[in-house]
Amino acid sequence: MAAADLWLLGISIGGIALAILLIARLGLHPFVGLLSGAFAIGLAAQLPPDKLAQTIEKGFGDILRGTGMVVALGLGLGAMLQISGGARALARAVLDRTGERYATLGGLAAALLIGMPLFFETGTVLLLPIIAAGMAGQKISNGGQSATLRLRVMLSTLAGLSVLHALMPPHPGPLIAVRELGADPARTMLLGLIAAVPTALIAGPLLARFTTRGVVTENLPLIEPDEGLACPAWRALIVLLLPVGLIAAGALMRMGGGEVSPAIALVSDPVVALLLANGAGLVLLLGPRMADRTLQDMIWREAMLPAGGILLGIGAGGALKQVLVDIGLPAMFGRLAQANFVGPVVMAWLVAAAIRVATGSATVATITASAIMAGVVGGHGVDPSLIVMAIGAGSVFFSHVNDPGFWLVRAYLGTSTRDTFRTWSMLESAISVVGLGFVLILARIV
């Protein structure tokens, strides 16, 4: 590693550490702390001031251009589900079937079934409000705390969503690597399923039993249901599954290699699918009161109050990520990967994990690592599906402050920054490491 690479790595670590210090120790808002870290890294890397400002604005705008609308529409739909009582009815219908003892498995199963075609952010804003609302005020029979059980169920749900994001086509993340590396989609799906289920069980329900001990949750975005609505669970389920079905239709058509019609391409876009779900929610969840001005004001006031802080944190995380990309951190890891000092499966994981930690973006890690490993696959004769899975596992390693998803999850869990590291960051790291372990096992037996 050249001296310039060491300097690049050092200032990146220093800038991220500064952001963590400002947020966790001094109590600054993540928006201010992350932007401070981004500017510190850019100045230390000697980016021209005007280019640095443009980079930060680009990173902030790019992440909010898609994610911002998804989060806002998801919050609106979540507010409707909560105010109508549909979220609570749906969550309690699931809990009645799983029972308190298996509630974490119920959350995990819901995520694995519903989250397949969804971007992580979309799945998060759809599922977590339902769990939070449904378990609010639950009395736990074994004397435990309802907040702790709720947190464990939410983490188990996140484990399901994140495992899909890492290992399973037709999720958009693995599909990128499948196409770049020329892997067989069906084979990758089968191997991914074999690895995904035990990985999710270990990183979700099992790990949460330990990481949630002593964690205090607060400021959960919960809304009390309107007593005059009392929406049944089946209506809430239709509204919840509508965007899932629309997005899945587009994903399956693209995976099959066929031409996607303009209409399907439009309605399968996550933003459009969620907008349509909001429209369906007005009819199915609110019924005759859908035009009630007071009720409408309540829904969007409750939806947008938490949106500001969430979106500012996400945008600042995107700005920090863009600075790290522009100063050349992914390219540096690409140069290191050419050394081939370990086997191709472990190398794919290391490259993706390093880029993930450095940039905070699973997508950037997947795209960059796939491009780097494309030549390696042909030269070593390794199964491309295993490389796809190794890259996916590495791409979710250790979510922290430069990951916009970190702040989205923190807002829904209601945890402090420190406890988000303890719960969410540990969950992501467990998925990454355990997922790699299963990929290595599969490499020996398939």
Side-chain angles (χ1 to χ4, degrees):
M1 184 181 288
D5 291 336
L6 287 172
W7 172 250
L8 195 63
L9 186 61
I11 63 175
S12 299
I13 294 172
I16 292 170
L18 173 63
I20 294 173
L21 175 67
L22 293 174
I23 297 164
R25 291 291 183 184
L26 301 185
L28 296 185
H29 191 278
F31 175 69
V32 177
L34 292 169
L35 286 184
S36 299
F39 273 107
I41 293 170
L43 292 172
Q46 298 183 335
L47 285 180
D50 57 339
K51 178 173 173 53
L52 175 57
Q54 292 172 5
T55 295
I56 288 175
E57 291 170 4
K58 179 180 185 301
F60 189 92
D62 284 352
I63 195 68
L64 290 184
R65 184 171 55 198
T67 304
M69 287 188 285
V70 166
V71 171
L73 287 168
L75 287 168
L77 186 60
M80 269 188 267
L81 284 164
Q82 291 181 53
I83 288 175
S84 67
R88 183 168 295 181
L90 188 56
R92 287 181 175 170
V94 173
L95 286 174
D96 287 343
R97 286 162 176 78
T98 63
E100 174 192 319
R101 183 176 180 181
Y102 300 107
T104 54
L105 295 178
L108 175 59
L112 291 174
L113 292 172
I114 293 174
M116 179 70 74
L118 304 179
F119 280 103
F120 176 79
E121 294 83 0
T122 310
T124 299
V125 299
L126 282 176
L127 289 178
L128 290 195
I130 290 175
I131 294 169
M135 300 191 69
Q138 284 281 99
K139 293 184 178 180
I140 307 305
S141 62
N142 62 9
Q145 294 183 357
S146 61
T148 300
L149 179 59
R150 180 177 63 231
L151 181 59
R152 284 170 49 197
V153 176
M154 294 173 84
L155 288 169
S156 298
T157 305
L158 288 168
L161 293 173
S162 189
V163 162
L164 294 175
H165 185 84
L167 300 174
M168 286 285 293
H171 194 281
L175 268 185
I176 295 171
V178 164
R179 291 168 181 165
E180 187 71 29
L181 297 170
D184 181 89
R187 178 176 174 81
T188 308
M189 283 185 69
L190 176 60
L191 295 178
L193 180 63
I194 293 171
V197 174
T199 298
L201 287 169
I202 293 169
L206 180 60
L207 183 63
R209 296 181 68 89
F210 302 96
T211 58
T212 56
R213 291 176 180 172
V215 173
V216 177
T217 59
E218 54 188 13
N219 299 325
L220 289 173
L222 299 178
I223 307 166
E224 286 299 317
D226 187 299
E227 297 297 333
L229 291 172
C231 172
W234 66 269
R235 291 190 183 183
L237 184 62
I238 290 174
V239 173
L240 177 65
L241 292 179
L242 175 61
V244 176
L246 292 174
I247 295 170
L252 290 173
M253 291 184 69
R254 292 183 185 93
M255 191 178 70
E259 183 177 349
V260 181
S261 69
I264 294 295
L266 175 65
V267 299
S268 65
D269 181 87
V271 172
V272 178
L274 282 170
L275 181 60
L276 292 172
N278 273 263
L282 291 174
V283 177
L284 292 175
L285 302 178
L286 306 184
R289 294 185 59 191
M290 60 182 291
D292 185 326
R293 182 65 61 85
T294 302
L295 192 60
Q296 286 289 334
D297 288 345
M298 180 188 303
I299 289 170
W300 291 104
R301 182 177 64 251
E302 295 294 343
M304 293 303 113
L305 278 176
I310 295 172
L311 294 178
L312 285 175
I314 290 172
L320 178 57
K321 176 210 74 175
Q322 191 62 47
V323 170
L324 293 168
V325 170
D326 280 16
I327 66 174
L329 210 58
M332 184 202 77
F333 288 118
R335 293 193 297 272
L336 291 177
Q338 304 307 317
N340 289 330
F341 56 89
V342 294
V345 171
V346 176
M347 172 57 66
W349 183 89
L350 286 172
V351 172
I355 297 170
R356 156 68 162 186
V357 172
T359 66
S361 171
T363 303
V364 170
T366 299
I367 293 171
T368 307
S370 298
I372 291 169
M373 296 304 297
V376 176
V377 170
H380 287 75
V382 67
D383 186 342
S385 295
L386 297 176
I387 299 297
V388 169
M389 294 167 61
I391 289 172
S395 74
V396 298
F397 183 74
F398 193 65
S399 168
H400 65 100
V401 296
N402 65 342
D403 175 15
F406 180 93
W407 303 106
L408 180 64
V409 169
R410 178 185 181 274
Y412 276 108
L413 295 183
T415 48
S416 66
T417 300
R418 177 182 176 182
D419 284 339
T420 307
F421 274 112
R422 179 179 166 184
T423 53
W424 164 245
S425 300
M426 286 293 293
L427 182 154
E428 287 282 81
S429 299
I431 289 173
S432 185
V433 174
V434 174
L436 173 64
F438 279 108
V439 174
L440 292 172
I441 292 172
L442 288 170
R444 289 184 173 273
I445 63 178
V446 299

